[in-house]
Amino acid sequence: TEERGWNVEISGSSYRLQYLPDETIDAEISMSIEKYAGKPLYFISENPSTEDEILKNIRRFISRFQGACLEGESCEENLPEKTCQDNIIIIKEIEGNESITQEGNCVYISSRYSDGEKAADAFLYKILGVK
């Protein structure tokens, strides 16, 4: 099977994205790829395809990645508790319109399950300075 998507080069690095910039929403965040460079990235995710889309494009910049729990929230797994001082991407499945917002170093990506990769690409375009 042929893989969907297209290759794009930004600042000398190649990325593989599923959607064109004008097919994605504007992410309401002020993060850039430099914010993640060489640091651990934590995920709290309800959609593995959203997480995978982000990781396949920024894994080379971060020191490592792993699941986490947000401090003060219930957590069923034995994961480290993190706060919005840490770099956390929180991926939530919702029924309504997608949104990408930020609180400290926490980025909230909310979308329908079927739009997870599109939401991930919107986040990537924003941190890569395309949109």
Side-chain angles (χ1 to χ4, degrees), residues 84-123:
C84 288
Q85 302 275 324
D86 301 290
N87 287 331
I88 305 175
I89 297 177
I90 299 151
I91 301 166
K92 293 204 173 284
E93 187 180 342
I94 59 164
E95 289 302 315
N97 293 329
E98 60 195 270
S99 68
I100 302 169
T101 58
Q102 177 182 341
E103 184 180 307
N105 291 339
C106 288
V107 172
Y108 294 85
I109 300 175
S110 302
S111 72
R112 286 181 209 83
Y113 195 86
S114 60
D115 289 334
E117 289 174 341
K118 186 187 283 189
D121 284 357
F123 166 77

Side-chain angles (χ1 to χ4, degrees), residues 47-64:
N47 190 335
S49 66
T50 307
E51 188 176 338
D52 290 345
E53 179 77 355
I54 292 168
L55 279 173
K56 79 177 183 186
N57 283 291
I58 69 168
R59 178 179 279 148
R60 66 192 121 157
F61 297 107
I62 60 177
S63 64
R64 63 187 171 84

